Structures are given as C-alpha cells and as structure tokens.
Amino acid sequence: DERDPRARPLLRPPVPALLLVAAIPAAHAATPDAPADSVTHHQFTIAAERVDFTLTAATMPFDDDKGERQAGLFHVAYTRDGADGGRRPVTFVFIGGPGASSAYLHLGALGPRIVPFASDGRLPEAGAPLIDNPDHWLDLTDRVFVDPVGTGYSRPVGEAGPRHWGGEEDLDSI
C-alpha cells in the first residue's frame, strides 16, 4: 500500500450500539444514576513503538448560574502517557441526539481500538473483537469524547432535561 501512513480517513461507518455497565456509588455521582468514575491504563503499537495511554471515563457536574445541579456530563478521555500535558494538543469530540452517544465515534473511527469493518465497509459479524485502530490520532493529540445532556451517560437532574435538549442548548452546556 503506497498510502501515506499520516493520511488518515476521518470517518468510518457507524457501529452497533455498545452497552457499558458500571457500578454506581452515590457518593461519587454527579447525578443519581451516573456511572462511577474509572481510570484504566492501556497500550498499543504505532510504527513498532509501544505507546502507553490512560483512559478516563467520568461524569462532571453541570450547575446553573445559581449553583444548582442541572445534569452530569459524561466524558471519556484518552491521554498519552509521558507526553507534556502543557504543550500537547487536545481534540474534543461531541456527538449527540436521541439515543446517540459518542460510543459510535469511539468504536467506529476515533478511539484507539475499534471494531474492524470489512474492506468494502460492511459491518462486522456479531461478537467481532476490538483491534488497535490503525487510523487513530493518539500519536498527534489527546482526545476527550463528551456526551451532551440526555445522550450516553450524561443525565439531567429531575425535570431539567428538556431545557438542555437541542443544538443551542448543547453548546451552552458544553
């Protein structure tokens, strides 16, 4: 393949939904049903070099101007270990909509591990393993995937949801 290894496709076909299950200790939750924060360490290979990275999945409280909790904003961050955090770029990835979280972008295109698609773009068979993403960007930038209120694990508190659902509302909350 004569393709430049730095030239990376921006999009791949979406993948089936992924259900993540986590314990939910109330003391750590930004909203009553937020999953517990989790930090794990991983590695993969870039051009024969092993790269260590940290994955952080957490919920950040979202309060209004009066200091009242409106929601918990769930995010997943991939950060390269050993990199100069003060100089390293960060790319924020946002997606949302009824029933759509950033999981589709994690496993379909931008995460360090993806579900492999057939060369013609067909979806993989059920139970396909995750593989290292040959088109990741972790060598160039850390990444933070953010789920707007009402998508993924980002949950409104009480009746606050509808006033945070919509394009302008997503921008305000982020």
Side-chain angles (χ1 to χ4, degrees), residues 29-45:
T31 61
D33 61 347
D37 292 356
S38 175
V39 177
T40 57
H41 302 279
H42 308 271
Q43 61 268 150
F44 63 98
T45 304

Side-chain angles (χ1 to χ4, degrees), residues 33 46 54 78 83 98 124 136 140 162 166 172 174:
D33 61 347
I46 300 172
T54 298
Y78 297 99
H136 66 84
L140 305 173
D172 288 342
I174 302 301

Side-chain angles (χ1 to χ4, degrees), residues 31-169:
T31 61
D33 61 347
D37 292 356
S38 175
V39 177
T40 57
H41 302 279
H42 308 271
Q43 61 268 150
F44 63 98
T45 304
I46 300 172
E49 175 190 356
R50 189 182 103 175
V51 174
D52 296 321
F53 68 96
T54 298
L55 181 134
T56 303
T59 303
M60 184 173 67
F62 172 56
D63 299 338
D64 65 14
D65 294 338
K66 299 175 193 168
E68 295 177 9
R69 181 70 30 91
Q70 297 297 300
L73 291 177
F74 183 74
H75 61 281
V76 175
Y78 297 99
T79 55
R80 187 169 177 171
D81 295 348
D84 180 357
R87 298 180 50 88
R88 183 154 168 85
V90 177
T91 301
F92 290 90
V93 181
F94 304 97
I95 192 167
S101 70
S102 60
Y104 295 103
L105 287 174
H106 287 267
L107 298 175
L110 301 177
R113 293 206 171 85
I114 57 170
V115 175
F117 288 87
S119 60
D120 64 0
R122 282 181 290 129
L123 293 174
E125 297 294 321
L130 290 176
I131 62 168
D132 286 348
N133 182 357
D135 300 318
H136 66 84
W137 299 345
L138 200 53
D139 54 334
L140 305 173
T141 178
D142 291 340
R143 252 169 292 130
V144 180
F145 292 76
V146 180
D147 292 338
V149 177
T151 66
Y153 281 121
S154 290
R155 301 279 190 261
V157 171
E159 303 298 317
R163 70 176 168 261
H164 297 289
W165 296 336
E168 290 291 322
E169 294 81 355

